Structures are given as structure tokens and as C-alpha cells.
Amino acid sequence: VQLQASGGGLVQPGGSLRLSCAASGSIFGINDMGWYRQAPGKERELVASITSGHSSKFVGSVKGRFTISRDNAKNTVYLQMNSLKPEDTAVYYCNAEVITVNPGFSVRNYWGQGTLVTVSS
């Protein structure tokens, strides 16, 4: 199983970016999917997560600015980031709890490779 994240880049304050993360491989199903971020000198934090039933939650600092969505048919999760601030600058990582059944039943977390978001004028 692999998670491939994309969509990061440089944006001015107040701008928008959309991150995508697609899971591939021998996937039976996916439970929660989410986005974490890690700024220089700080610990990784959960930004947003979404269940298979599309219930979501957000860290307080992004509420009202970020939305998370997923396409279960494509095993893909998205993070729409609006009204970006310099403090949103970080490497963003996607995460998914993946169910596999080959060779045996397994549930484990996988991480994407990280995509850099830089908010600067």
C-alpha cells in the first residue's frame, strides 16, 4: 500500500491550495483518513481527519478555513485550504488507516511522503 500526496507549493497569504492524497495497492477498505503537518522546530500535529462516513474534525487553528473531503471509490482524500496564513507553512502529510486482506486480515496506518506548503509574500 502506498499513499501519494500532491498539491503543495508557494502561495501568498490569503491564498488557497488543494492537497490530494491517493492510496493504492491491495486495499480492502479505508477507515479514517487525515492530514497532519509539521512546521520547522515543531511536533507533527493533526490538522483534519475524516471517517469513511464523511464525518470530519479539525484542529482549532484551521476551523472555518480548511475543509477535508474524500472519494471512497478513488481511495483519495483532499484538503482544501483557504485564507492561508504564514503560520500554516509546514510539510503536510496524509495518513490513512488501511484494511488489507491479502495475505491475511490487517489494519494499519500508512503515511504519504509529505508535501511542502509555504505561505509567504
Side-chain angles (χ1 to χ4, degrees), residues 12-25:
Q12 292 186 343
S16 298
L17 280 176
R18 188 190 195 213
L19 306 183
S20 300
C21 176
S24 61

Side-chain angles (χ1 to χ4, degrees), residues 8 11-12 15 18-19 24 30 34 65 82 89 91 99-103 110 112 117:
V11 63
Q12 292 186 343
R18 188 190 195 213
L19 306 183
S24 61
I30 301 178
R65 301 188 297 121
N82 299 327
T89 295
V91 178
I99 305 168
T100 57
V101 296
N102 186 17
Y110 291 86
V117 172

Side-chain angles (χ1 to χ4, degrees), residues 2-6 20-24 94 112-113:
Q2 291 186 329
L3 270 60
Q4 182 67 46
S6 61
S20 300
C21 176
S24 61
C94 59
Q113 83 282 13

Side-chain angles (χ1 to χ4, degrees), residues 2-121:
Q2 291 186 329
L3 270 60
Q4 182 67 46
S6 61
L10 173 64
V11 63
Q12 292 186 343
S16 298
L17 280 176
R18 188 190 195 213
L19 306 183
S20 300
C21 176
S24 61
S26 298
I27 297 171
F28 180 78
I30 301 178
N31 292 329
D32 290 2
M33 303 184 82
W35 290 94
Y36 289 70
R37 67 186 179 187
Q38 187 165 20
K42 295 188 176 181
E43 294 187 352
R44 190 175 298 189
E45 66 170 349
L46 174 65
V47 176
S49 65
I50 185 168
T51 69
S52 58
H54 301 275
S55 294
S56 59
K57 58 182 179 181
F58 301 88
V59 68
S61 60
V62 308
K63 284 182 179 178
R65 301 188 297 121
F66 291 11
T67 57
I68 187 170
S69 61
R70 63 189 282 175
D71 184 332
N72 289 335
K74 296 181 179 180
N75 292 328
T76 299
V77 63
Y78 306 95
L79 185 69
Q80 178 66 43
M81 305 183 292
N82 299 327
S83 302
L84 282 160
K85 303 176 180 180
E87 51 263 44
D88 295 317
T89 295
V91 178
Y92 284 70
Y93 299 90
C94 59
N95 175 273
E97 186 178 76
V98 179
I99 305 168
T100 57
V101 296
N102 186 17
F105 181 84
S106 174
V107 181
R108 59 162 287 189
N109 273 294
Y110 291 86
W111 291 91
Q113 83 282 13
T115 184
L116 177 62
V117 172
T118 303
V119 184
S120 175
S121 55

